[in-house]
Coordinates of all heavy atoms in Angstrom, one line a residue:
A1 N 99.4 162.5 157.7 CA 98.9 161.7 158.8 C 99.3 160.3 158.6 O 99.6 159.9 157.5 CB 97.4 161.8 158.8
D2 N 99.3 159.5 159.7 CA 99.4 158.0 159.6 C 98.1 157.5 160.1 O 97.4 158.1 160.9 CB 100.5 157.6 160.6 CG 101.9 158.1 160.1 OD1 102.2 158.0 158.9 OD2 102.7 158.5 161.0
W3 N 97.9 156.3 159.7 CA 96.7 155.6 160.2 C 97.0 154.1 160.3 O 97.9 153.6 159.7 CB 95.4 155.8 159.3 CG 95.6 155.4 157.9 CD1 95.4 154.2 157.3 CD2 96.1 156.2 156.8 NE1 95.7 154.2 156.0 CE2 96.2 155.4 155.7 CE3 96.6 157.5 156.7 CZ2 96.6 155.9 154.4 CZ3 97.1 158.0 155.5 CH2 97.1 157.2 154.4
T4 N 96.2 153.4 161.1 CA 96.3 152.0 161.3 C 95.2 151.3 160.5 O 94.0 151.6 160.7 CB 96.1 151.7 162.8 OG1 97.0 152.5 163.6 CG2 96.3 150.3 163.2
V5 N 95.6 150.3 159.7 CA 94.7 149.6 159.0 C 94.1 148.6 160.0 O 94.8 147.8 160.7 CB 95.4 148.8 157.9 CG1 94.5 147.9 157.1 CG2 96.1 149.8 156.9
P6 N 92.7 148.6 160.1 CA 92.1 147.7 161.1 C 92.3 146.3 160.8 O 92.2 145.8 159.7 CB 90.6 148.1 161.0 CG 90.5 149.2 160.0 CD 91.8 149.4 159.3
Q7 N 92.5 145.5 161.9 CA 92.6 144.1 161.8 C 91.2 143.5 162.1 O 91.0 142.3 161.9 CB 93.6 143.5 162.8 CG 95.0 144.0 162.6 CD 95.6 143.5 161.3 OE1 95.4 142.4 161.0 NE2 96.3 144.4 160.5
G8 N 90.3 144.3 162.5 CA 88.9 143.9 162.8 C 88.3 145.2 163.4 O 88.9 146.2 163.5
G9 N 87.1 145.1 163.8 CA 86.4 146.2 164.3 C 85.9 147.1 163.2 O 85.9 146.8 162.0
F10 N 85.5 148.3 163.6 CA 84.8 149.2 162.7 C 85.4 150.7 162.7 O 84.6 151.6 162.6 CB 83.3 149.3 163.0 CG 82.7 147.9 162.8 CD1 82.4 147.1 163.9 CD2 82.4 147.4 161.6 CE1 81.8 145.9 163.8 CE2 81.8 146.2 161.4 CZ 81.5 145.4 162.6
Y11 N 86.7 150.8 163.0 CA 87.2 152.2 163.0 C 88.7 152.2 162.5 O 89.4 151.2 162.5 CB 87.1 152.8 164.4 CG 87.9 152.1 165.4 CD1 89.2 152.4 165.7 CD2 87.3 151.1 166.2 CE1 89.9 151.8 166.6 CE2 88.1 150.4 167.2 CZ 89.4 150.8 167.4 OH 90.1 150.1 168.3
I12 N 89.1 153.4 162.1 CA 90.4 153.7 161.7 C 91.0 154.6 162.7 O 90.4 155.7 163.0 CB 90.5 154.2 160.3 CG1 89.9 153.2 159.2 CG2 91.9 154.7 159.9 CD1 89.6 153.8 157.9
W13 N 92.2 154.4 163.2 CA 92.9 155.3 164.1 C 93.8 156.1 163.3 O 94.7 155.7 162.6 CB 93.7 154.5 165.2 CG 94.2 155.3 166.2 CD1 95.6 155.6 166.4 CD2 93.6 155.9 167.3 NE1 95.8 156.4 167.5 CE2 94.6 156.6 168.1 CE3 92.2 156.0 167.7 CZ2 94.2 157.3 169.2 CZ3 91.9 156.7 168.9 CH2 92.9 157.4 169.6
L14 N 93.6 157.4 163.3 CA 94.3 158.4 162.4 C 95.1 159.4 163.3 O 94.5 160.0 164.2 CB 93.2 159.2 161.6 CG 93.8 160.3 160.7 CD1 94.6 159.7 159.5 CD2 92.6 161.1 160.1
R15 N 96.4 159.5 163.1 CA 97.2 160.4 163.9 C 97.9 161.4 163.0 O 98.6 161.0 162.0 CB 98.2 159.6 164.7 CG 99.1 160.4 165.6 CD 100.0 159.6 166.5 NE 99.5 158.5 167.1 CZ 98.9 158.4 168.3 NH1 98.8 159.5 169.0 NH2 98.4 157.3 168.8
F16 N 97.7 162.6 163.2 CA 98.3 163.7 162.5 C 99.8 163.9 162.8 O 100.1 163.9 164.0 CB 97.5 165.0 162.6 CG 96.1 164.9 162.1 CD1 95.1 164.7 163.0 CD2 95.9 165.0 160.8 CE1 93.8 164.6 162.5 CE2 94.6 164.9 160.3 CZ 93.5 164.6 161.2
K17 N 100.6 164.1 161.8 CA 102.1 164.3 162.1 C 102.3 165.7 162.5 O 103.3 166.0 163.2 CB 102.8 164.0 160.8 CG 102.8 162.6 160.4 CD 103.5 162.4 159.1 CE 103.5 160.9 158.7 NZ 104.2 160.7 157.5
R18 N 101.5 166.7 162.2 CA 101.6 168.0 162.6 C 100.6 168.4 163.6 O 99.5 167.8 163.6 CB 101.5 169.0 161.4 CG 102.6 168.8 160.4 CD 102.4 169.6 159.1 NE 102.0 171.0 159.3 CZ 101.6 171.8 158.3 NH1 101.5 171.4 157.1 NH2 101.2 173.0 158.6
P19 N 100.9 169.3 164.5 CA 99.9 169.7 165.5 C 98.6 170.3 164.8 O 98.8 171.0 163.8 CB 100.6 170.8 166.3 CG 102.0 170.5 166.1 CD 102.2 170.0 164.7
L20 N 97.5 169.9 165.3 CA 96.2 170.3 164.7 C 95.2 170.6 165.8 O 95.2 169.8 166.8 CB 95.7 169.1 163.8 CG 94.5 169.4 163.0 CD1 94.8 170.3 161.7 CD2 93.9 168.0 162.5
P21 N 94.5 171.7 165.7 CA 93.5 171.9 166.7 C 92.3 171.0 166.6 O 91.3 171.3 165.9 CB 93.1 173.4 166.4 CG 93.4 173.6 165.0 CD 94.5 172.7 164.6
V22 N 92.4 169.8 167.2 CA 91.4 168.8 167.0 C 90.0 169.2 167.5 O 89.0 168.9 166.9 CB 91.9 167.5 167.7 CG1 90.8 166.4 167.6 CG2 93.2 167.0 167.1
D23 N 90.0 170.0 168.6 CA 88.7 170.5 169.0 C 88.0 171.4 168.0 O 86.8 171.4 167.8 CB 88.8 171.3 170.4 CG 89.2 170.4 171.5 OD1 88.9 169.1 171.4 OD2 89.8 170.9 172.5
K24 N 88.8 172.3 167.3 CA 88.2 173.1 166.3 C 87.8 172.3 165.1 O 86.8 172.5 164.5 CB 89.3 174.1 165.8 CG 88.8 175.0 164.7 CD 89.9 176.0 164.3 CE 89.3 176.9 163.2 NZ 90.3 177.9 162.7
L25 N 88.6 171.3 164.7 CA 88.3 170.4 163.6 C 87.0 169.6 163.9 O 86.1 169.5 163.1 CB 89.4 169.4 163.4 CG 89.2 168.4 162.3 CD1 89.0 169.0 160.9 CD2 90.3 167.4 162.2
F26 N 86.8 169.2 165.2 CA 85.6 168.5 165.6 C 84.4 169.4 165.3 O 83.4 168.9 164.8 CB 85.6 168.2 167.1 CG 84.4 167.7 167.7 CD1 84.1 166.3 167.6 CD2 83.5 168.5 168.3 CE1 82.9 165.8 168.2 CE2 82.3 168.0 168.8 CZ 82.0 166.6 168.7
Q27 N 84.4 170.7 165.7 CA 83.3 171.6 165.5 C 83.0 171.8 164.0 O 81.9 171.8 163.6 CB 83.5 172.9 166.2 CG 82.3 173.8 166.2 CD 81.0 173.1 166.8 OE1 81.1 172.6 167.9 NE2 80.0 173.0 166.0
L28 N 84.1 172.1 163.2 CA 84.0 172.3 161.8 C 83.3 171.1 161.1 O 82.5 171.2 160.3 CB 85.3 172.6 161.2 CG 85.9 174.0 161.5 CD1 87.3 174.0 161.0 CD2 85.1 175.1 161.0
A29 N 83.7 169.9 161.5 CA 83.2 168.7 161.0 C 81.7 168.5 161.4 O 80.9 168.1 160.5 CB 84.0 167.5 161.4
L30 N 81.4 168.8 162.6 CA 80.1 168.7 163.1 C 79.1 169.6 162.3 O 78.0 169.2 162.0 CB 80.0 169.0 164.6 CG 78.7 168.6 165.3 CD1 78.4 167.1 165.2 CD2 78.8 169.0 166.8
D31 N 79.6 170.8 161.9 CA 78.9 171.7 161.1 C 78.6 171.1 159.7 O 77.6 171.6 159.1 CB 79.6 173.0 160.9 CG 79.7 173.8 162.3 OD1 78.9 173.5 163.2 OD2 80.5 174.7 162.3
K32 N 79.4 170.2 159.3 CA 79.2 169.5 158.0 C 78.5 168.1 158.2 O 78.5 167.3 157.3 CB 80.5 169.3 157.3 CG 81.3 170.5 157.0 CD 80.7 171.2 155.8 CE 81.6 172.4 155.4 NZ 81.1 173.1 154.3
N33 N 77.9 167.9 159.4 CA 77.2 166.6 159.7 C 78.2 165.4 159.7 O 77.8 164.3 159.4 CB 76.0 166.4 158.8 CG 75.0 167.4 158.9 OD1 74.6 167.7 160.0 ND2 74.5 167.9 157.8
I34 N 79.4 165.7 160.1 CA 80.4 164.6 160.3 C 80.7 164.6 161.8 O 81.2 165.6 162.3 CB 81.7 164.9 159.5 CG1 81.3 164.9 158.0 CG2 82.7 163.8 159.8 CD1 82.5 165.4 157.1
L35 N 80.5 163.5 162.4 CA 80.8 163.3 163.8 C 82.1 162.6 164.0 O 82.3 161.5 163.5 CB 79.7 162.5 164.5 CG 79.9 162.3 166.0 CD1 80.0 163.7 166.8 CD2 78.7 161.5 166.6
L36 N 83.1 163.3 164.6 CA 84.4 162.7 164.9 C 84.6 162.3 166.3 O 83.9 162.8 167.2 CB 85.5 163.8 164.6 CG 85.6 164.4 163.2 CD1 86.6 165.5 163.2 CD2 85.9 163.3 162.2
N37 N 85.5 161.4 166.5 CA 85.8 161.0 167.8 C 87.3 161.4 168.1 O 88.2 160.7 167.6 CB 85.7 159.4 168.0 CG 84.3 159.0 167.9 OD1 83.4 159.5 168.5 ND2 84.1 158.0 167.1
P38 N 87.5 162.5 168.8 CA 88.9 163.0 169.0 C 89.6 161.9 169.9 O 89.0 161.3 170.8 CB 88.7 164.3 169.8 CG 87.3 164.7 169.5 CD 86.5 163.5 169.2
G39 N 90.9 161.7 169.5 CA 91.6 160.6 170.2 C 91.8 160.8 171.7 O 91.9 159.8 172.5
N40 N 91.7 162.0 172.1 CA 91.9 162.3 173.6 C 90.8 161.8 174.5 O 90.9 161.7 175.7 CB 92.2 163.8 173.9 CG 91.1 164.7 173.5 OD1 90.1 164.3 173.0 ND2 91.3 166.0 173.8
I41 N 89.7 161.4 173.9 CA 88.6 160.9 174.7 C 88.9 159.4 175.0 O 88.2 158.8 175.9 CB 87.2 161.1 174.1 CG1 87.0 160.2 172.8 CG2 86.9 162.5 173.9 CD1 85.6 160.3 172.3
Y42 N 89.9 158.8 174.3 CA 90.2 157.4 174.6 C 91.4 157.2 175.5 O 91.5 156.2 176.2 CB 90.4 156.7 173.3 CG 89.2 156.7 172.4 CD1 89.0 157.6 171.4 CD2 88.1 155.9 172.7 CE1 87.9 157.7 170.6 CE2 86.9 155.9 172.0 CZ 86.8 156.8 170.9 OH 85.7 156.9 170.2
D43 N 92.4 158.1 175.4 CA 93.5 158.0 176.3 C 93.9 159.2 177.1 O 94.8 159.2 177.8 CB 94.7 157.5 175.5 CG 95.1 158.5 174.4 OD1 94.6 159.6 174.4 OD2 95.9 158.1 173.5
F44 N 92.9 160.1 177.1 CA 92.9 161.3 178.1 C 94.2 162.2 178.0 O 94.5 162.8 179.0 CB 92.7 160.7 179.5 CG 91.5 159.9 179.6 CD1 91.7 158.5 179.8 CD2 90.3 160.4 179.5 CE1 90.5 157.7 179.9 CE2 89.1 159.6 179.5 CZ 89.3 158.2 179.8
Y45 N 94.8 162.3 176.9 CA 95.8 163.3 176.7 C 95.8 163.7 175.2 O 95.3 163.0 174.4 CB 97.3 162.8 177.1 CG 97.9 161.7 176.3 CD1 98.7 162.0 175.2 CD2 97.5 160.4 176.5 CE1 99.2 161.1 174.4 CE2 98.1 159.4 175.6 CZ 99.0 159.7 174.6 OH 99.5 158.8 173.8
D46 N 96.4 164.9 175.0 CA 96.4 165.4 173.6 C 97.3 164.6 172.7 O 98.5 164.7 172.8 CB 96.8 166.9 173.7 CG 96.6 167.6 172.4 OD1 95.9 167.1 171.5 OD2 97.2 168.7 172.2
N47 N 96.7 163.8 171.9 CA 97.4 162.9 171.0 C 97.4 163.2 169.6 O 97.9 162.5 168.8 CB 97.0 161.5 171.3 CG 95.6 161.2 171.0 OD1 94.9 162.1 170.4 ND2 95.1 160.1 171.4
N48 N 96.7 164.3 169.2 CA 96.7 164.8 167.8 C 96.1 163.6 166.9 O 96.6 163.4 165.8 CB 98.1 165.1 167.4 CG 98.2 166.2 166.4 OD1 97.3 167.1 166.5 ND2 99.1 166.3 165.6
A49 N 95.1 163.0 167.4 CA 94.5 161.8 166.6 C 93.0 161.9 166.6 O 92.4 162.6 167.4 CB 95.0 160.5 167.3
L50 N 92.5 161.1 165.7 CA 91.1 160.9 165.5 C 90.8 159.4 165.4 O 91.6 158.6 164.9 CB 90.5 161.6 164.3 CG 90.7 163.0 164.1 CD1 90.2 163.4 162.7 CD2 89.8 163.8 165.2
R51 N 89.6 159.0 165.8 CA 89.1 157.7 165.6 C 88.0 157.8 164.6 O 87.0 158.4 164.9 CB 88.6 157.0 166.9 CG 88.2 155.6 166.7 CD 87.9 155.0 168.0 NE 86.7 154.2 167.9 CZ 86.2 153.4 168.8 NH1 86.8 153.3 170.0 NH2 85.1 152.8 168.6
L52 N 88.1 157.2 163.4 CA 87.1 157.3 162.4 C 86.3 156.0 162.3 O 86.9 155.0 162.0 CB 87.8 157.6 161.0 CG 88.8 158.8 160.9 CD1 89.4 158.8 159.5 CD2 88.0 160.1 161.2
S53 N 85.1 156.1 162.6 CA 84.2 154.9 162.6 C 83.5 154.8 161.3 O 83.0 155.8 160.8 CB 83.2 155.0 163.8 OG 82.4 153.9 163.7
Y54 N 83.4 153.7 160.8 CA 82.7 153.4 159.5 C 81.7 152.3 159.7 O 81.1 151.8 158.7 CB 83.6 153.0 158.4 CG 84.6 151.9 158.7 CD1 84.1 150.6 158.5 CD2 85.8 152.1 159.2 CE1 85.0 149.5 158.7 CE2 86.6 151.0 159.5 CZ 86.3 149.8 159.2 OH 87.1 148.7 159.5
A55 N 81.3 152.0 160.9 CA 80.3 150.9 161.2 C 78.9 151.2 160.6 O 78.3 150.3 160.1 CB 80.2 150.7 162.7
Y56 N 78.5 152.4 160.6 CA 77.1 152.7 160.2 C 77.0 153.5 158.9 O 76.0 153.9 158.5 CB 76.3 153.5 161.3 CG 76.3 152.7 162.6 CD1 77.0 152.9 163.7 CD2 75.4 151.6 162.7 CE1 77.0 152.2 164.8 CE2 75.3 150.8 163.8 CZ 76.1 151.1 164.8 OH 76.0 150.3 166.0
A57 N 78.1 153.7 158.3 CA 78.2 154.5 157.1 C 78.2 153.7 155.8 O 78.9 152.7 155.8 CB 79.4 155.5 157.1
E58 N 77.5 154.1 154.8 CA 77.6 153.5 153.5 C 79.0 153.9 152.9 O 79.5 155.0 153.2 CB 76.5 154.0 152.5 CG 75.1 153.6 153.0 CD 74.9 152.1 152.9 OE1 75.5 151.4 152.0 OE2 74.2 151.5 153.7
P59 N 79.6 153.0 152.1 CA 81.0 153.3 151.6 C 81.1 154.6 150.9 O 82.0 155.4 151.1 CB 81.3 152.1 150.7 CG 80.4 151.0 151.2 CD 79.2 151.7 151.8
E60 N 80.0 154.9 150.1 CA 80.0 156.2 149.4 C 80.0 157.4 150.4 O 80.6 158.5 150.2 CB 78.8 156.3 148.4 CG 78.8 155.3 147.4 CD 78.2 153.9 147.9 OE1 77.4 154.0 148.9 OE2 78.6 152.9 147.4
D61 N 79.2 157.3 151.4 CA 79.1 158.4 152.4 C 80.4 158.5 153.2 O 80.8 159.6 153.5 CB 77.9 158.1 153.4 CG 76.6 158.1 152.7 OD1 76.4 158.8 151.7 OD2 75.7 157.5 153.3
F62 N 81.0 157.4 153.5 CA 82.3 157.5 154.2 C 83.3 158.1 153.4 O 84.1 159.0 153.8 CB 82.7 156.0 154.7 CG 84.0 156.1 155.5 CD1 83.9 156.4 156.8 CD2 85.2 155.8 155.0 CE1 85.0 156.4 157.6 CE2 86.3 155.8 155.8 CZ 86.3 156.1 157.1
S63 N 83.4 157.8 152.1 CA 84.4 158.4 151.2 C 84.2 159.9 151.1 O 85.1 160.7 151.1 CB 84.3 157.8 149.8 OG 84.7 156.4 149.8
K64 N 82.9 160.3 151.0 CA 82.6 161.7 150.9 C 83.0 162.4 152.1 O 83.6 163.5 152.1 CB 81.1 161.9 150.6 CG 80.7 163.4 150.5 CD 79.2 163.5 150.2 CE 78.8 165.0 150.2 NZ 77.4 165.1 150.2
A65 N 82.7 161.8 153.3 CA 83.0 162.5 154.6 C 84.6 162.5 154.7 O 85.1 163.6 155.3 CB 82.5 161.6 155.8
V66 N 85.3 161.6 154.3 CA 86.8 161.6 154.4 C 87.3 162.7 153.5 O 88.3 163.4 153.9 CB 87.4 160.3 154.1 CG1 88.9 160.4 153.9 CG2 87.1 159.3 155.2
R67 N 86.8 162.9 152.3 CA 87.2 164.0 151.4 C 86.9 165.3 152.1 O 87.8 166.3 152.1 CB 86.5 163.9 150.1 CG 87.1 162.9 149.2 CD 86.6 163.0 147.7 NE 85.2 162.9 147.6 CZ 84.5 161.8 147.5 NH1 85.2 160.6 147.5 NH2 83.2 161.8 147.4
T68 N 85.7 165.5 152.6 CA 85.4 166.8 153.3 C 86.3 167.0 154.6 O 86.8 168.1 154.8 CB 83.9 166.7 153.8 OG1 83.1 166.6 152.6 CG2 83.5 168.0 154.5
L69 N 86.6 165.9 155.3 CA 87.5 166.0 156.4 C 88.9 166.5 156.0 O 89.5 167.3 156.7 CB 87.6 164.7 157.1 CG 88.4 164.6 158.4 CD1 88.0 165.6 159.4 CD2 88.5 163.1 158.9
G70 N 89.3 166.0 154.9 CA 90.6 166.4 154.4 C 90.6 167.9 154.1 O 91.6 168.6 154.4
Q71 N 89.6 168.4 153.5 CA 89.5 169.9 153.2 C 89.5 170.6 154.5 O 90.1 171.7 154.6 CB 88.2 170.1 152.4 CG 88.3 169.5 151.0 CD 87.0 169.6 150.4 OE1 85.9 169.9 150.9 NE2 86.9 169.2 149.1
L72 N 88.8 170.1 155.5 CA 88.7 170.8 156.8 C 90.1 170.8 157.5 O 90.5 171.9 158.1 CB 87.7 170.2 157.7 CG 86.2 170.3 157.2 CD1 85.3 169.5 158.1 CD2 85.8 171.7 157.1
V73 N 90.8 169.7 157.4 CA 92.1 169.7 158.0 C 93.0 170.7 157.3 O 93.8 171.4 158.0 CB 92.7 168.2 157.9 CG1 94.2 168.2 158.2 CG2 92.0 167.3 158.8
E74 N 93.0 170.7 156.0 CA 93.8 171.7 155.2 C 93.5 173.1 155.7 O 94.4 173.9 155.9 CB 93.6 171.6 153.7 CG 94.3 170.4 153.2 CD 94.0 170.3 151.7 OE1 93.5 171.2 151.0 OE2 94.3 169.2 151.1
S75 N 92.2 173.4 155.9 CA 91.9 174.8 156.3 C 92.3 175.1 157.8 O 92.8 176.2 158.0 CB 90.3 175.0 156.2 OG 89.6 174.3 157.2
C76 N 92.3 174.1 158.6 CA 92.8 174.3 160.0 C 94.3 174.5 160.0 O 94.9 175.2 160.8 CB 92.5 173.0 160.8 SG 90.8 172.9 161.4
L77 N 95.0 173.8 159.1 CA 96.5 173.9 159.1 C 96.9 175.2 158.4 O 98.1 175.7 158.8 CB 97.1 172.8 158.3 CG 97.0 171.4 159.0 CD1 97.5 170.3 158.0 CD2 97.8 171.4 160.3
K78 N 96.1 175.9 157.6 CA 96.5 177.1 157.0 C 96.4 178.3 157.9 O 97.0 179.3 157.7 CB 95.6 177.4 155.7 CG 95.9 176.5 154.6 CD 95.1 176.7 153.4 CE 95.3 175.8 152.3 NZ 94.5 176.0 151.2
K79 N 95.6 178.1 159.0 CA 95.4 179.3 159.9 C 96.4 179.3 161.0 O 97.0 178.4 161.4 CB 94.0 179.2 160.5 CG 93.0 179.4 159.4 CD 91.6 179.3 159.9 CE 90.6 179.5 158.7 NZ 89.3 179.4 159.1

């Protein structure tokens, strides 16, 4: 994946290099109490991206969520 280092604001724009079922990833993450913002809700087309917000998360919680998200992405890519 590639991501944009924020110049300001409270989110990271993450774009996957390989096709990924973002809707499935959204549900799997939600089951782990991680709320994702699929990129297609911002530009209305399938862009294989996520917007990761860290505005309300403690740094430790955000790090844990990103590690979990990585595991979920790996499981989605294996199927």
Side-chain angles (χ1 to χ4, degrees):
D2 292 319
W3 58 89
T4 303
V5 176
Q7 298 295 317
F10 299 101
Y11 64 88
I12 298 167
W13 188 253
L14 177 71
R15 185 178 310 271
F16 295 100
K17 293 180 181 181
R18 293 173 48 190
L20 186 75
V22 176
D23 291 337
K24 179 179 179 179
L25 179 61
F26 173 87
Q27 188 57 55
L28 291 171
L30 194 58
D31 291 345
K32 300 281 186 181
N33 295 316
I34 300 170
L35 180 60
L36 299 177
N37 295 312
N40 63 357
I41 67 174
Y42 298 101
D43 57 17
F44 307 108
Y45 68 95
D46 188 18
N47 59 12
N48 215 33
L50 298 174
R51 184 174 137 170
L52 305 176
S53 176
Y54 53 88
Y56 298 106
E58 294 294 327
E60 301 82 26
D61 293 335
F62 185 78
S63 293
K64 181 180 175 188
V66 168
R67 283 192 301 275
T68 301
L69 181 60
Q71 294 167 351
L72 296 173
V73 167
E74 286 180 11
S75 73
C76 285
L77 291 174
K78 289 179 182 177
K79 295 180 180 177

